[in-house]
Amino acid sequence: MGIGAASDELLGTFVPIAVYWLYSGLYVALDGVGRLDGYRLHTREEAATKNVVSKAAVVRGVLVQQAFQVAVSLTLFAVIGDESGTGQKQPPALVIVLQFITAMVVMDTWQYFMHRYMHINKFLYKHIHSKHHTLVVPYSFGALYNHPLEGLILDTIGGALSFLVSGMTPRTSIFFFSFATIKTVDDHCGLWLPGNILQALFSNNSAYHDIHHQLYGNKYNFSQPFFVIWDKILGTYMPYSIEQRKRGGVESRPTKLD
């Protein structure tokens, strides 16, 4: 049973995609507000010169990855779906909260180790993961700009594992994957905005992730999209501070370099 005419499985597949473009579109709109330049982690000039891929190519790349996500999601729901058509009953609120937390931990764990390995393995970095790092200056709708194989391994399989291990229902997955999508877009937004509740609540945020996208941070800050615990446990966390740039704006600046 779904919300309205659509099934929970269809909503769980397509709502996060809609959320991705709507939320990143909000940041695109904010990018045109000149008064917010004081909160940019990089200048507009840096974005224009350091990123070596066009925005049109980024949009195409994200759409390819989302097509893979749709295919895997629909296949997964078809395999585990309830043939009665009545849908799974929602568990109590406390159970849903625990499922959310479990899914967050599973996703973080999977993505940390897979992401880190793609940096350690020179072949995988050169031919797969480096595509994402062509965005030295991250921006919102480039959050899922990856090689299709990386998108499949990190995001799609990671999401499937989170869903299966947590035991959440398709209806709960609508909200979990929409939240994970918002978080991922926010981490790549390129802005350090006062009052941004996600940046305030999570140490894994746009400033933390910006460090990873710089050359000096290539071996640090692998965690995504929620916590930084694996980085801190395994010594790959790079501490940083938010500093004012001389020519205006802010930057995430490492407080310790090897």
Side-chain angles (χ1 to χ4, degrees):
M1 186 178 295
I3 301 173
S7 69
D8 291 337
E9 289 81 1
L10 284 176
L11 290 171
T13 299
F14 290 103
V15 168
I17 293 175
V19 167
Y20 182 90
W21 293 109
L22 288 171
Y23 193 59
S24 62
L26 172 63
Y27 273 116
V28 171
L30 290 176
D31 189 57
V33 180
R35 286 178 296 178
L36 294 181
D37 282 0
Y39 303 107
R40 295 175 64 93
L41 292 169
H42 293 271
T43 65
R44 294 179 183 273
E45 292 74 20
E46 286 179 314
T49 58
K50 290 186 176 182
N51 290 341
V52 296
V53 60
S54 71
K55 291 184 176 180
V58 168
V59 170
R60 290 194 297 269
V62 172
L63 290 173
V64 168
Q65 176 166 335
Q66 289 175 334
F68 276 101
Q69 289 178 337
V70 168
V72 172
S73 176
L74 293 178
T75 301
L76 177 63
F77 284 135
V79 170
I80 67 171
D82 182 1
E83 294 181 359
S84 68
T86 59
Q88 292 178 252
K89 184 179 179 181
Q90 286 293 94
L94 179 58
V95 173
I96 293 175
V97 170
L98 292 175
Q99 289 174 336
F100 249 72
I101 294 171
T102 300
M104 291 167 76
V105 172
V106 171
M107 182 174 286
D108 263 36
T109 300
W110 175 263
Q111 293 204 356
Y112 174 86
F113 287 100
M114 292 297 102
H115 183 196
R116 184 176 179 180
Y117 186 66
M118 286 190 176
H119 277 267
I120 294 173
N121 186 297
K122 294 181 179 179
F123 177 86
L124 289 178
Y125 184 81
K126 179 179 179 180
H127 297 284
I128 305 295
H129 187 56
S130 62
K131 182 173 181 176
H132 182 66
H133 280 272
T134 57
L135 295 180
V136 178
V137 179
Y139 50 81
S140 58
F141 63 87
L144 291 183
Y145 178 66
N146 299 309
H147 188 284
L149 182 59
E150 176 181 350
L152 178 64
I153 294 172
L154 259 70
D155 299 306
T156 307
I157 294 179
L161 288 173
S162 300
F163 173 79
L164 293 171
V165 173
S166 68
M168 65 175 60
T169 64
R171 180 165 298 182
T172 300
S173 77
I174 300 169
F175 301 97
F176 174 73
F177 290 117
S178 293
F179 174 59
T181 297
I182 289 172
K183 184 68 177 60
T184 299
V185 170
D186 209 79
D187 293 345
H188 289 79
C189 71
L191 294 171
W192 185 254
L193 292 173
N196 184 316
I197 191 170
L198 293 176
Q199 294 177 358
L201 290 177
F202 290 90
S203 297
N204 194 328
N205 50 42
S206 60
Y208 160 91
H209 197 66
D210 182 71
I211 291 288
H212 176 72
H213 271 258
Q214 309 313 306
L215 291 177
Y216 54 74
N218 201 253
K219 296 180 180 179
Y220 300 91
N221 294 11
F222 297 113
S223 295
Q224 52 188 32
F226 301 110
F227 311 115
V228 298
I229 186 65
W230 284 115
D231 276 310
K232 291 193 172 182
I233 290 173
L234 297 175
T236 55
Y237 178 78
M238 178 177 281
Y240 62 90
S241 60
I242 304 298
E243 306 289 345
Q244 293 291 324
R245 279 197 305 268
K246 291 182 179 180
R247 294 188 297 168
V250 295
E251 63 179 341
S252 49
R253 188 178 300 167
T255 56
K256 181 180 178 182
L257 283 173
D258 294 336

